[in-house]
Amino acid sequence: MDANSTSEAIEILISNFARHPRLSHLTFDSNLNVFDVLEEFWQMKKIEEQSLDAKSLIIQPKDNEITYEFLERPGQPHVCLCTLPGGTCFATFQNCFTKSDAKKSAALLALMNSMFNEHPLRKINSDFIKKSMENAEKDLPNACSVSLELYKKLLEMCLNKSLLEFKQMMTVFQLLHWNGSLKAMRERNCSLNDVLNFYKNFKIDENMRSDMSLDWIAREQQRPGLIASELESVSNEIETARLNGREMRFLKEKRDILLLASYQFSTELMI
């Protein structure tokens, strides 16, 4: 998608969204941009959720704002990450050579996914759960029974919820699997209820990142060069995922944990 196509997509989204009856105060603002619309969209959702007394399974109070951050990388193109309330994350999906364009590209993708997520067909239903389990058993023939059962329980917990809410829950599952936490619980013969209780109380925060970084430092001590190899791998994953417009929270958290581990390990060597 080139710059002209991006501008046209933004204009179409803004035009359609501004027709919403609750947003009539915005329709006369000729300077309305993709950032304004994204903010208004999530403010409207927040009001609706409060009126329904709805609470997300994972959203923490500090996660109620839209944030933007740029990946530190040499040269161009620039890559911006747009994190939505609840933690869902989308990145620049084009090759942008200014930070302004990179931020706009990420916001556009976040807005498109936010709006499409409201469609009834984007809700988790019994057919989706059945097909997801069939695919998991097919794609992961060596997966342990605890992981598959936990995955099924997560799907059932998301029944009638949106795909973005499902992605938020799956980020936790992916992190626990990637970090070896699920495997460790299986080796300790933990029951499925034990795993579920652990999962429900699990928070993606600074303490979690610090704890997981320590796990990777321990692995680095046993296998020198492991963290650098993992960082290179996740950087390639991020590049592929962003160009395909995929949701990025899991990859972002992996990268942040590995960067923290790399910094902490280097500091230890200097002491």
Side-chain angles (χ1 to χ4, degrees):
M1 183 181 286
D2 56 25
N4 290 333
S5 298
T6 301
S7 298
E8 290 176 4
I10 291 173
E11 290 176 6
I12 292 171
L13 282 173
I14 291 175
S15 176
N16 288 335
F17 186 62
R19 293 194 187 102
H20 195 286
R22 295 189 186 178
L23 299 176
S24 58
H25 63 290
L26 298 177
T27 57
F28 302 104
D29 185 354
S30 59
N31 295 319
L32 197 64
N33 58 51
V34 67
F35 308 110
D36 295 329
V37 176
L38 187 59
E39 287 285 348
E40 286 290 339
F41 178 91
W42 281 95
Q43 281 298 319
M44 190 172 71
K45 278 188 65 66
K46 182 178 179 181
I47 293 171
E48 290 175 349
E49 288 176 357
Q50 288 174 342
S51 66
L52 295 171
D53 195 28
K55 293 183 180 180
S56 169
L57 291 167
I58 291 180
I59 291 180
Q60 305 299 324
K62 66 180 181 179
D63 289 335
N64 287 332
E65 296 182 357
I66 298 171
T67 61
Y68 298 91
E69 64 178 289
F70 289 90
L71 292 184
E72 294 184 8
R73 47 191 281 166
Q76 299 172 330
H78 297 289
V79 175
C80 178
L81 298 176
C82 175
T83 302
L84 299 173
T88 308
C89 180
F90 296 96
T92 304
F93 65 98
Q94 304 154 283
N95 288 325
C96 297
F97 299 97
T98 67
K99 287 191 173 182
S100 175
D101 286 342
K103 184 177 178 181
K104 185 183 295 183
S105 175
L108 172 60
L109 186 61
L111 178 59
M112 288 192 294
N113 277 277
S114 297
M115 294 179 68
F116 295 154
N117 189 60
E118 297 298 297
H119 196 281
L121 292 178
R122 301 276 291 179
K123 300 293 183 182
I124 305 295
N125 56 34
S126 55
D127 287 339
F128 178 89
I129 294 175
K130 180 181 178 181
K131 291 178 181 177
S132 296
M133 285 304 302
E134 290 173 352
N135 290 336
E137 291 169 357
K138 178 182 177 181
D139 297 338
L140 302 169
N142 297 321
C144 68
S145 59
V146 172
S147 295
L148 290 174
E149 281 297 316
L150 177 59
Y151 181 58
K152 184 179 180 181
K153 287 290 184 182
L154 297 183
L155 287 167
E156 292 171 347
M157 288 166 63
C158 284
L159 187 64
N160 298 321
K161 296 186 179 294
S162 70
L163 286 178
L164 283 187
E165 289 176 296
F166 172 66
K167 282 297 298 181
Q168 292 168 21
M169 294 190 69
M170 278 306 299
T171 297
V172 176
F173 178 82
Q174 289 172 300
L175 283 170
L176 292 174
H177 177 74
W178 167 70
N179 196 57
S181 304
L182 292 180
K183 181 180 178 182
M185 295 185 78
R186 181 190 64 180
E187 292 173 347
R188 294 198 301 269
N189 295 318
C190 294
S191 68
L192 181 59
N193 284 335
D194 291 334
V195 177
L196 279 173
N197 288 332
F198 175 78
Y199 177 90
K200 290 176 181 178
N201 294 313
F202 188 88
K203 296 179 181 180
I204 300 178
D205 56 17
E206 292 303 320
N207 290 331
M208 179 279 299
R209 296 182 189 98
S210 179
D211 289 343
M212 287 195 174
S213 70
L214 293 176
D215 292 335
W216 284 95
I217 288 174
R219 293 173 185 134
E220 175 72 18
Q221 291 171 337
Q222 296 177 347
R223 296 170 55 191
L226 177 63
I227 292 177
S229 176
E230 287 287 324
L231 273 170
E232 182 179 359
S233 177
V234 76
S235 295
N236 292 334
E237 289 181 87
I238 287 174
E239 185 67 9
T240 300
R242 78 165 186 90
L243 292 173
N244 286 304
R246 285 168 44 197
E247 199 276 330
M248 305 284 288
R249 179 71 185 276
F250 171 55
L251 296 178
K252 174 184 179 296
E253 293 296 342
K254 276 177 66 174
R255 181 179 184 272
D256 288 348
I257 291 165
L258 290 167
L259 285 173
L260 179 59
S262 177
Y263 172 77
Q264 291 175 328
F265 185 70
S266 298
T267 302
E268 286 183 5
L269 292 179
M270 290 168 33
I271 295 176

